[in-house]
């Protein structure tokens, strides 16, 4: 049995369609691979942009933390003394007050004196420099008015209430019981 012969007018278009189909089948693999690679490149660029943005953000500052109230007060006082020494400020008192509602977040109280600029700089440093502290209350007033004759500046007073963090202590021998 023999296959009927196709007229020459139909043979050329059918061979063209067959060749086009073959090219389409052969090109589908690389084209779909290229599309998938482009999608992976786009996802990678987005990840890189997020990583670069995260790297440019300033690091999170840790709060003032200690193992107990005495250590917290010592760390608070040392931090205040460092900040006061850099500015025109004097520490009159610093103490820690436990908060029964928040046992791990005791109140830290400080009484300070200094120039308006010195106290402002100290407050700003407390809230923006490590260790990070949030001022809960601030009572500001004039301790001594300026004296134009002697050239003395106004001395301000500040009573601050801040929060520290006491890390909970693990119970002794709690694991083996």
């Amino acid at each position: 049995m023999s296959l009927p012969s196709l007229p020459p007018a139909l043979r050329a278009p059918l061979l063209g369609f067959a060749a086009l189909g073959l090219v389409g089948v052969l090109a589908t693999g690389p084209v779909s691979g290229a599309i998938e690679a482009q999608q992976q490149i786009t996802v990678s660029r987005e990840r890189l942009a997020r990583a670069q943005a995260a790297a440019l953000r300033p690091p999170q500052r840790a709060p003032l933390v200690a193992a107990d109230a005495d250590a917290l007060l010592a760390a608070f006082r040392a931090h205040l003394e460092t900040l006061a020494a850099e500015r025109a400020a004097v520490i009159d008192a610093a103490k820690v007050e436990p908060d029964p509602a928040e046992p791990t977040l005791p109140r830290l109280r400080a009484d300070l004196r200094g120039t308006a600029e010195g106290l402002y700089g100290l407050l700003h440093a407390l809230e923006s420099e490590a260790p990070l502290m949030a001022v809960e209350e601030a009572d500001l007033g004039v301790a001594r008015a300026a004296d134009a004759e002697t050239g003395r500046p106004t001395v301000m007073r500040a009573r601050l209430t801040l929060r520290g963090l006491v890390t909970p202590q693990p119970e002794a021998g709690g694991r083996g019981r």
Side-chain angles (χ1 to χ4, degrees):
M1 216 168 177
S2 70
L3 293 172
S5 284
L6 294 174
L10 289 177
R11 242 185 256 166
L14 285 177
L15 283 175
F17 284 134
L20 189 60
L22 181 62
V23 168
V25 167
L26 293 175
T28 303
V31 170
S32 66
I35 291 171
E36 184 177 326
Q38 181 62 37
Q39 290 170 345
Q40 290 175 351
I41 290 170
T42 302
V43 168
S44 296
R45 284 183 178 157
E46 290 170 359
R47 285 183 187 154
L48 177 63
R50 285 193 304 268
Q52 287 173 334
L56 293 176
R57 284 192 299 262
Q60 294 290 335
R61 292 176 291 277
L64 186 65
V65 179
D68 59 25
D70 292 335
L72 184 64
L73 180 59
F76 176 56
R77 180 131 185 123
H79 186 54
L80 277 179
E81 287 171 356
T82 301
L83 295 176
E86 297 171 355
R87 294 159 182 84
V90 176
I91 304 166
D92 290 329
K95 60 184 178 176
V96 64
E97 293 178 358
D99 184 358
E102 294 285 345
T104 61
L105 297 171
R107 287 186 187 90
L108 298 165
R109 299 211 191 258
D111 292 325
L112 308 162
R113 283 179 293 128
T115 63
E117 294 82 15
L119 290 178
Y120 173 77
L122 191 137
L123 283 168
H124 184 336
L126 281 172
E127 290 189 325
S128 63
E129 295 176 9
L132 189 61
M133 300 186 76
V135 177
E136 231 176 49
E137 295 176 20
D139 180 27
L140 302 171
V142 176
R144 185 188 75 219
D147 187 356
E149 290 180 18
T150 62
R152 287 190 312 201
T154 300
V155 176
M156 304 289 294
R157 64 163 178 75
R159 176 166 282 156
L160 307 176
T161 302
L162 304 101
R163 291 283 181 163
L165 178 64
V166 174
T167 56
Q169 298 296 315
E171 294 181 26
R175 193 176 236 200
R177 290 184 179 178

